[in-house]
Amino acid sequence: MSDSVSTVSQPAPAHAPVTWSDPAREAAFHDWLAQVAPGHGLDPASLRLASADASFRRYLRVDGAQGSRIVMDAPPEREDCAPFVKIAALMAEAGLNVPRVLEWDAPRGFMLLDDLGTQTMIEVVQPQAPAANQQLYLRAVDALVSWQSASKPGVLPAYDEALLARELSLFPDWYLQKHRGIEISPALRQTLDAQFGLIVQRNLASPSVYVHRDFMPRNLMIPRDPAEPRLGVLDFQDAVYGPVTYDIACLMRDAFLSWDEEFVLDITVRYWQRAVKAGLPVDPDFGEFYRAVEWMGLQRHLKVAGIFARLTLRDGKPKYLADAPRFIGYIRATVHRYRELGPLARLLDEIEGSEPVSGYAFGRL
Protein backbone atom coordinates (compact mmCIF):
# COMPACT_ATOMS: atom_id res chain seq x y z
CA MET A 1 0.00 0.00 0.00
CA SER A 2 1.96 2.95 -1.27
CA ASP A 3 0.47 5.63 0.98
CA SER A 4 -0.14 3.53 4.06
CA VAL A 5 1.66 3.09 7.29
CA SER A 6 1.81 -0.59 6.59
CA THR A 7 3.57 -1.37 9.79
CA VAL A 8 0.92 -0.60 12.34
CA SER A 9 0.73 -4.27 13.33
CA GLN A 10 -1.50 -5.30 16.20
CA PRO A 11 -0.44 -8.47 18.04
CA ALA A 12 -3.30 -10.90 18.52
CA PRO A 13 -4.20 -12.47 21.85
CA ALA A 14 -2.58 -15.84 22.44
CA HIS A 15 -4.40 -18.61 20.57
CA ALA A 16 -6.80 -16.17 18.93
CA PRO A 17 -8.97 -18.15 16.49
CA VAL A 18 -8.80 -17.56 12.76
CA THR A 19 -12.05 -16.41 11.20
CA TRP A 20 -12.85 -15.82 7.53
CA SER A 21 -15.33 -13.47 5.91
CA ASP A 22 -15.03 -15.20 2.53
CA PRO A 23 -15.81 -18.95 2.49
CA ALA A 24 -14.09 -19.38 -0.87
CA ARG A 25 -10.88 -17.87 0.43
CA GLU A 26 -11.10 -19.99 3.57
CA ALA A 27 -11.38 -23.13 1.43
CA ALA A 28 -8.46 -22.03 -0.76
CA PHE A 29 -6.34 -21.40 2.32
CA HIS A 30 -6.97 -24.80 3.87
CA ASP A 31 -6.25 -26.46 0.53
CA TRP A 32 -2.91 -24.61 0.35
CA LEU A 33 -2.01 -25.35 3.98
CA ALA A 34 -2.73 -29.04 3.50
CA GLN A 35 -0.30 -29.05 0.55
CA VAL A 36 2.61 -27.33 2.33
CA ALA A 37 2.16 -28.72 5.86
CA PRO A 38 3.82 -32.14 5.33
CA GLY A 39 7.00 -30.69 3.87
CA HIS A 40 7.48 -28.37 6.85
CA GLY A 41 6.13 -30.63 9.58
CA LEU A 42 3.27 -28.22 10.31
CA ASP A 43 0.29 -28.94 12.56
CA PRO A 44 -2.73 -27.29 10.87
CA ALA A 45 -4.81 -27.73 14.04
CA SER A 46 -2.50 -25.29 15.86
CA LEU A 47 -3.32 -22.41 13.49
CA ARG A 48 -4.15 -19.11 15.26
CA LEU A 49 -4.09 -15.41 14.53
CA ALA A 50 -0.72 -13.73 15.09
CA SER A 51 -1.37 -10.11 14.09
CA ALA A 52 -3.12 -7.79 11.65
CA ASP A 53 -2.06 -4.40 10.35
CA ALA A 54 -3.42 -1.27 8.72
CA SER A 55 -3.44 -2.90 5.29
CA PHE A 56 -5.37 -5.90 4.01
CA ARG A 57 -2.67 -8.33 5.17
CA ARG A 58 -2.86 -10.43 8.28
CA TYR A 59 -0.49 -12.92 9.86
CA LEU A 60 -1.25 -16.35 11.29
CA ARG A 61 0.95 -18.60 13.42
CA VAL A 62 1.17 -22.38 13.09
CA ASP A 63 3.29 -24.86 15.03
CA GLY A 64 5.73 -27.19 13.34
CA ALA A 65 8.35 -29.83 13.96
CA GLN A 66 11.08 -27.15 13.86
CA GLY A 67 9.18 -24.53 15.79
CA SER A 68 6.39 -22.19 14.84
CA ARG A 69 6.01 -20.56 11.43
CA ILE A 70 4.14 -17.49 10.22
CA VAL A 71 1.58 -17.50 7.42
CA MET A 72 0.87 -14.28 5.56
CA ASP A 73 -2.70 -14.00 4.29
CA ALA A 74 -2.65 -11.28 1.63
CA PRO A 75 -5.51 -11.31 -0.90
CA PRO A 76 -3.80 -10.79 -4.28
CA GLU A 77 -6.45 -8.39 -5.52
CA ARG A 78 -5.64 -6.17 -2.52
CA GLU A 79 -1.95 -6.77 -1.86
CA ASP A 80 1.07 -7.33 -4.09
CA CYS A 81 3.49 -9.62 -2.25
CA ALA A 82 6.26 -9.46 -4.87
CA PRO A 83 7.94 -6.44 -3.20
CA PHE A 84 7.96 -8.28 0.14
CA VAL A 85 9.76 -11.25 -1.41
CA LYS A 86 12.25 -9.05 -3.24
CA ILE A 87 13.07 -6.86 -0.24
CA ALA A 88 13.32 -9.83 2.14
CA ALA A 89 16.07 -11.17 -0.12
CA LEU A 90 17.82 -7.78 -0.26
CA MET A 91 17.76 -7.44 3.51
CA ALA A 92 19.03 -10.97 4.06
CA GLU A 93 21.92 -10.25 1.69
CA ALA A 94 22.63 -7.10 3.73
CA GLY A 95 22.97 -9.23 6.87
CA LEU A 96 19.67 -8.29 8.50
CA ASN A 97 17.59 -10.68 10.58
CA VAL A 98 14.49 -11.02 8.41
CA PRO A 99 12.05 -13.89 7.84
CA ARG A 100 12.86 -16.30 5.03
CA VAL A 101 10.12 -16.95 2.48
CA LEU A 102 9.63 -20.71 2.78
CA GLU A 103 6.58 -21.06 0.53
CA TRP A 104 4.69 -18.60 -1.65
CA ASP A 105 1.47 -19.14 -3.56
CA ALA A 106 1.46 -15.92 -5.56
CA PRO A 107 -1.87 -16.42 -7.37
CA ARG A 108 -3.75 -17.00 -4.11
CA GLY A 109 -1.74 -14.72 -1.84
CA PHE A 110 -0.52 -17.14 0.82
CA MET A 111 3.04 -17.22 2.15
CA LEU A 112 4.90 -19.31 4.73
CA LEU A 113 7.63 -17.47 6.65
CA ASP A 114 10.09 -17.91 9.47
CA ASP A 115 8.72 -16.85 12.84
CA LEU A 116 11.03 -14.21 14.33
CA GLY A 117 9.30 -14.29 17.70
CA THR A 118 6.36 -12.88 19.59
CA GLN A 119 7.90 -9.88 21.34
CA THR A 120 8.33 -6.57 19.56
CA MET A 121 10.85 -3.95 20.59
CA ILE A 122 8.08 -1.61 21.73
CA GLU A 123 6.96 -4.22 24.26
CA VAL A 124 10.28 -4.11 26.12
CA VAL A 125 11.00 -0.38 25.86
CA GLN A 126 10.95 1.54 29.16
CA PRO A 127 9.25 4.85 28.23
CA GLN A 128 9.83 6.47 31.61
CA ALA A 129 13.58 5.72 31.65
CA PRO A 130 15.05 6.82 28.31
CA ALA A 131 18.68 6.02 29.12
CA ALA A 132 17.77 2.41 29.95
CA ASN A 133 16.81 1.93 26.29
CA GLN A 134 20.06 3.14 24.75
CA GLN A 135 21.56 -0.28 23.99
CA LEU A 136 18.28 -1.54 22.54
CA TYR A 137 18.05 1.46 20.23
CA LEU A 138 21.67 1.04 19.19
CA ARG A 139 20.83 -2.50 18.06
CA ALA A 140 18.17 -0.91 15.87
CA VAL A 141 20.75 1.60 14.62
CA ASP A 142 23.10 -1.26 13.71
CA ALA A 143 20.37 -2.88 11.61
CA LEU A 144 19.64 0.43 9.91
CA VAL A 145 23.29 1.10 9.05
CA SER A 146 23.63 -2.44 7.62
CA TRP A 147 20.53 -1.90 5.47
CA GLN A 148 21.63 1.49 4.20
CA SER A 149 25.17 0.26 3.53
CA ALA A 150 23.81 -2.25 1.00
CA SER A 151 22.13 0.50 -1.06
CA LYS A 152 22.34 0.56 -4.84
CA PRO A 153 20.46 2.89 -7.21
CA GLY A 154 17.89 1.45 -9.59
CA VAL A 155 16.93 -1.51 -7.39
CA LEU A 156 14.00 -0.09 -5.40
CA PRO A 157 11.38 2.49 -6.42
CA ALA A 158 12.53 6.08 -6.05
CA TYR A 159 11.16 8.15 -3.20
CA ASP A 160 10.80 11.02 -5.64
CA GLU A 161 9.04 14.37 -5.76
CA ALA A 162 5.77 12.89 -7.01
CA LEU A 163 5.60 10.34 -4.18
CA LEU A 164 6.55 12.85 -1.48
CA ALA A 165 3.95 15.32 -2.76
CA ARG A 166 1.25 12.65 -2.96
CA GLU A 167 1.92 11.63 0.63
CA LEU A 168 1.75 15.23 1.84
CA SER A 169 -1.62 15.69 0.15
CA LEU A 170 -3.08 13.23 2.66
CA PHE A 171 -2.83 15.89 5.38
CA PRO A 172 -5.19 18.48 3.84
CA ASP A 173 -7.40 15.86 2.20
CA TRP A 174 -7.98 13.66 5.24
CA TYR A 175 -6.81 15.41 8.40
CA LEU A 176 -7.85 19.00 7.69
CA GLN A 177 -10.83 18.56 5.40
CA LYS A 178 -12.47 15.31 6.43
CA HIS A 179 -11.39 15.03 10.07
CA ARG A 180 -11.32 18.70 11.17
CA GLY A 181 -13.99 19.90 8.73
CA ILE A 182 -11.82 22.72 7.36
CA GLU A 183 -12.62 23.98 3.89
CA ILE A 184 -9.53 24.09 1.70
CA SER A 185 -9.99 27.55 0.16
CA PRO A 186 -7.84 28.70 -2.79
CA ALA A 187 -5.78 30.85 -0.42
CA LEU A 188 -5.23 27.97 2.00
CA ARG A 189 -4.39 25.65 -0.88
CA GLN A 190 -1.81 28.16 -2.13
CA THR A 191 -0.20 28.36 1.32
CA LEU A 192 -0.11 24.59 1.70
CA ASP A 193 1.29 24.07 -1.80
CA ALA A 194 4.08 26.56 -1.16
CA GLN A 195 4.99 25.08 2.22
CA PHE A 196 4.76 21.50 1.00
CA GLY A 197 6.91 22.35 -2.01
CA LEU A 198 9.56 23.69 0.35
CA ILE A 199 9.42 20.55 2.49
CA VAL A 200 9.73 18.29 -0.55
CA GLN A 201 12.70 20.18 -1.97
CA ARG A 202 14.53 20.17 1.37
CA ASN A 203 14.05 16.43 1.67
CA LEU A 204 15.07 15.69 -1.90
CA ALA A 205 18.34 17.52 -1.17
CA SER A 206 19.40 14.61 1.07
CA PRO A 207 21.36 11.80 -0.64
CA SER A 208 19.49 8.56 -1.29
CA VAL A 209 19.86 5.12 0.28
CA TYR A 210 17.58 2.16 0.88
CA VAL A 211 14.64 3.28 3.06
CA HIS A 212 12.60 0.80 5.10
CA ARG A 213 9.89 3.48 5.39
CA ASP A 214 8.39 2.31 8.70
CA PHE A 215 11.50 1.63 10.76
CA MET A 216 10.10 1.79 14.27
CA PRO A 217 9.88 -0.37 17.41
CA ARG A 218 6.60 -2.01 16.44
CA ASN A 219 8.36 -3.52 13.43
CA LEU A 220 11.52 -4.65 15.21
CA MET A 221 11.52 -8.00 17.00
CA ILE A 222 13.36 -9.26 20.06
CA PRO A 223 15.06 -12.52 18.97
CA ARG A 224 14.05 -15.71 20.73
CA ASP A 225 17.73 -16.66 21.00
CA PRO A 226 19.45 -14.40 23.58
CA ALA A 227 22.73 -14.99 21.74
CA GLU A 228 21.35 -13.37 18.57
CA PRO A 229 22.49 -9.71 18.62
CA ARG A 230 20.39 -8.65 15.64
CA LEU A 231 16.85 -7.42 16.09
CA GLY A 232 14.36 -8.95 13.70
CA VAL A 233 13.03 -6.61 11.01
CA LEU A 234 9.45 -6.85 9.68
CA ASP A 235 6.98 -4.99 7.44
CA PHE A 236 9.52 -3.80 4.92
CA GLN A 237 7.47 -4.33 1.77
CA ASP A 238 7.07 -0.60 1.05
CA ALA A 239 10.84 0.02 0.99
CA VAL A 240 12.11 2.64 -1.46
CA TYR A 241 15.31 4.42 -2.48
CA GLY A 242 15.19 7.82 -0.85
CA PRO A 243 16.54 10.29 1.72
CA VAL A 244 19.16 8.96 4.13
CA THR A 245 17.38 10.94 6.87
CA TYR A 246 14.08 9.08 6.65
CA ASP A 247 14.49 5.94 8.74
CA ILE A 248 16.32 7.57 11.65
CA ALA A 249 13.57 10.21 11.75
CA CYS A 250 11.03 7.39 11.78
CA LEU A 251 12.84 5.51 14.56
CA MET A 252 13.20 8.47 16.90
CA ARG A 253 9.89 10.25 16.19
CA ASP A 254 7.69 7.22 16.49
CA ALA A 255 4.04 6.80 15.67
CA PHE A 256 3.27 5.38 19.10
CA LEU A 257 6.09 6.44 21.41
CA SER A 258 7.61 9.85 22.19
CA TRP A 259 11.01 10.66 23.67
CA ASP A 260 12.44 13.84 25.10
CA GLU A 261 14.90 15.79 23.01
CA GLU A 262 17.93 14.60 24.97
CA PHE A 263 17.34 10.93 24.11
CA VAL A 264 16.42 11.73 20.50
CA LEU A 265 19.70 13.63 20.10
CA ASP A 266 21.71 10.93 21.85
CA ILE A 267 20.59 8.11 19.56
CA THR A 268 20.61 10.28 16.43
CA VAL A 269 24.19 11.42 16.98
CA ARG A 270 25.27 7.83 17.66
CA TYR A 271 23.56 6.75 14.43
CA TRP A 272 25.32 9.61 12.61
CA GLN A 273 28.71 8.55 13.98
CA ARG A 274 28.16 4.96 12.82
CA ALA A 275 26.89 6.18 9.44
CA VAL A 276 29.96 8.37 8.93
CA LYS A 277 32.23 5.44 9.84
CA ALA A 278 30.36 3.18 7.41
CA GLY A 279 30.79 5.71 4.59
CA LEU A 280 27.09 6.50 4.28
CA PRO A 281 26.19 9.82 2.59
CA VAL A 282 25.25 11.77 5.72
CA ASP A 283 26.19 15.43 6.09
CA PRO A 284 29.63 15.68 7.74
CA ASP A 285 28.25 18.41 10.00
CA PHE A 286 25.93 16.87 12.59
CA GLY A 287 23.97 20.09 13.05
CA GLU A 288 23.12 20.19 9.35
CA PHE A 289 22.27 16.50 9.37
CA TYR A 290 19.97 16.92 12.36
CA ARG A 291 18.11 19.77 10.69
CA ALA A 292 17.64 17.57 7.62
CA VAL A 293 16.26 14.81 9.86
CA GLU A 294 13.74 17.25 11.31
CA TRP A 295 12.53 18.28 7.86
CA MET A 296 12.20 14.63 6.87
CA GLY A 297 10.30 13.86 10.06
CA LEU A 298 7.96 16.76 9.34
CA GLN A 299 7.04 15.27 5.97
CA ARG A 300 6.37 11.89 7.56
CA HIS A 301 4.26 13.29 10.37
CA LEU A 302 2.06 15.31 8.03
CA LYS A 303 1.56 12.17 5.96
CA VAL A 304 0.79 9.96 8.96
CA ALA A 305 -1.71 12.41 10.46
CA GLY A 306 -3.58 12.15 7.16
CA ILE A 307 -3.29 8.37 7.08
CA PHE A 308 -4.56 7.95 10.62
CA ALA A 309 -7.56 10.15 9.81
CA ARG A 310 -8.20 8.03 6.71
CA LEU A 311 -7.92 4.79 8.68
CA THR A 312 -10.56 6.09 11.07
CA LEU A 313 -12.96 7.75 8.67
CA ARG A 314 -12.72 5.44 5.67
CA ASP A 315 -11.58 2.14 7.12
CA GLY A 316 -13.35 2.18 10.50
CA LYS A 317 -10.18 1.87 12.63
CA PRO A 318 -10.55 4.68 15.22
CA LYS A 319 -7.65 3.61 17.43
CA TYR A 320 -5.18 5.16 15.00
CA LEU A 321 -6.59 8.66 15.18
CA ALA A 322 -6.16 8.54 18.96
CA ASP A 323 -2.43 8.97 18.29
CA ALA A 324 -2.94 12.04 16.08
CA PRO A 325 -2.11 14.51 18.91
CA ARG A 326 1.39 13.03 19.05
CA PHE A 327 1.92 13.80 15.38
CA ILE A 328 0.45 17.26 15.59
CA GLY A 329 2.83 17.89 18.49
CA TYR A 330 5.79 16.76 16.38
CA ILE A 331 4.63 18.90 13.46
CA ARG A 332 4.06 22.05 15.49
CA ALA A 333 7.37 21.71 17.31
CA THR A 334 9.24 21.52 14.00
CA VAL A 335 7.43 24.28 12.12
CA HIS A 336 7.98 26.69 15.01
CA ARG A 337 11.69 25.96 14.84
CA TYR A 338 12.14 27.21 11.26
CA ARG A 339 11.29 30.73 10.11
CA GLU A 340 10.53 29.64 6.54
CA LEU A 341 7.76 27.41 7.89
CA GLY A 342 6.01 30.35 9.56
CA PRO A 343 2.89 30.18 7.36
CA LEU A 344 2.37 26.53 8.26
CA ALA A 345 3.04 27.28 11.93
CA ARG A 346 0.40 30.02 11.98
CA LEU A 347 -2.09 27.75 10.25
CA LEU A 348 -1.59 24.96 12.76
CA ASP A 349 -1.73 27.36 15.71
CA GLU A 350 -5.09 28.57 14.42
CA ILE A 351 -6.41 25.04 13.93
CA GLU A 352 -4.99 23.34 17.00
CA GLY A 353 -4.85 26.21 19.48
CA SER A 354 -3.14 29.57 19.55
CA GLU A 355 -0.42 28.76 22.07
CA PRO A 356 2.86 28.24 20.18
CA VAL A 357 4.68 24.98 20.81
CA SER A 358 8.20 25.03 22.20
CA GLY A 359 10.87 24.16 19.67
CA TYR A 360 12.01 21.39 22.00
CA ALA A 361 8.58 19.87 22.66
CA PHE A 362 9.39 16.24 22.00
CA GLY A 363 8.08 15.12 25.37
CA ARG A 364 5.29 12.64 25.84
CA LEU A 365 1.97 13.95 24.58
Side-chain angles (χ1 to χ4, degrees):
M1 294 178 66
S2 59
D3 290 330
S4 75
V5 178
S6 61
T7 57
V8 189
S9 298
Q10 298 293 327
H15 306 296
V18 179
T19 59
W20 301 84
S21 59
D22 180 356
R25 183 156 186 81
E26 179 180 10
F29 172 78
H30 288 294
D31 175 66
W32 171 80
L33 185 60
Q35 292 177 34
V36 303
H40 297 274
L42 303 179
D43 174 14
S46 68
L47 188 74
R48 66 269 193 196
L49 190 63
S51 69
D53 62 26
S55 71
F56 294 96
R57 287 180 298 273
R58 65 175 178 169
Y59 300 91
L60 317 177
R61 180 171 276 113
V62 61
D63 294 331
Q66 299 178 341
S68 59
R69 295 288 185 258
I70 294 294
V71 174
M72 182 193 293
D73 170 25
E77 69 278 8
R78 297 282 195 174
E79 298 287 342
D80 179 10
C81 290
F84 181 97
V85 174
K86 176 180 179 177
I87 296 158
L90 286 175
M91 287 192 163
E93 290 170 10
L96 273 67
N97 181 14
V98 293
R100 293 174 301 161
V101 178
L102 305 173
E103 298 281 352
W104 180 29
D105 186 331
R108 294 192 286 187
F110 302 123
M111 192 181 297
L112 185 68
L113 304 164
D114 283 329
D115 187 352
L116 298 189
T118 59
Q119 194 171 47
T120 62
M121 176 176 164
I122 201 169
E123 292 176 278
V124 302
V125 160
Q126 300 177 51
Q128 305 305 322
N133 304 286
Q134 186 191 75
Q135 291 307 309
L136 185 58
Y137 269 79
L138 291 181
R139 291 170 74 185
V141 163
D142 287 341
L144 178 54
V145 171
S146 295
W147 171 231
Q148 293 176 330
S149 296
S151 303
K152 295 178 183 177
V155 177
L156 295 178
Y159 210 171
D160 56 14
E161 182 173 359
L163 180 52
L164 286 164
R166 187 172 75 240
E167 289 184 340
L168 284 170
S169 71
L170 294 166
F171 183 73
D173 292 352
W174 285 95
Y175 185 81
L176 294 183
Q177 197 165 16
K178 291 188 172 64
H179 172 54
R180 299 304 301 266
I182 295 169
E183 181 183 355
I184 308 298
S185 67
L188 176 53
R189 176 65 66 186
Q190 185 176 11
T191 297
L192 290 171
D193 287 349
Q195 294 282 275
F196 288 176
L198 181 61
I199 293 168
V200 168
Q201 292 309 314
R202 284 292 184 94
N203 290 325
L204 288 176
S206 293
S208 290
V209 295
Y210 287 164
V211 176
H212 178 290
R213 212 168 164 197
D214 280 308
F215 193 77
M216 59 186 182
R218 282 205 174 196
N219 294 324
L220 300 173
M221 303 297 296
I222 304 301
R224 282 197 170 102
D225 182 357
E228 171 58 75
R230 301 171 302 163
L231 296 176
V233 181
L234 300 178
D235 282 344
F236 41 71
Q237 57 278 340
D238 289 330
V240 291
Y241 187 69
V244 67
T245 51
Y246 192 97
D247 280 339
I248 188 63
C250 184
L251 179 66
M252 299 314 301
R253 293 161 175 81
D254 191 359
F256 306 98
L257 182 68
S258 296
W259 297 108
D260 59 35
E261 184 79 355
E262 183 179 359
F263 186 66
V264 172
L265 278 166
D266 177 59
I267 300 301
T268 306
V269 76
R270 291 172 189 274
Y271 159 78
W272 174 80
Q273 290 169 339
R274 283 168 163 80
V276 169
K277 187 175 181 180
L280 291 171
V282 295
D283 196 294
D285 180 275
F286 177 72
E288 290 298 321
F289 175 73
Y290 194 73
R291 283 186 279 275
V293 171
E294 288 197 303
W295 282 77
M296 190 74 255
L298 175 60
Q299 189 273 344
R300 175 175 169 80
H301 299 141
L302 288 163
K303 170 186 75 169
V304 174
I307 290 171
F308 279 16
R310 186 176 68 182
L311 283 167
T312 296
L313 300 171
R314 188 192 70 182
D315 301 336
K317 299 179 178 182
K319 62 182 178 294
Y320 294 106
L321 200 52
D323 280 288
R326 187 189 312 279
F327 285 94
I328 298 304
Y330 286 144
I331 292 164
R332 295 182 70 199
T334 303
V335 297
H336 277 282
R337 219 187 276 232
Y338 296 95
R339 185 174 302 167
E340 54 265 61
L341 292 170
L344 188 54
R346 289 189 292 274
L347 170 65
L348 289 168
D349 285 348
E350 182 179 344
I351 294 169
E352 303 295 335
S354 59
E355 184 179 348
V357 177
S358 162
Y360 291 89
F362 283 101
R364 295 166 192 85
L365 297 168

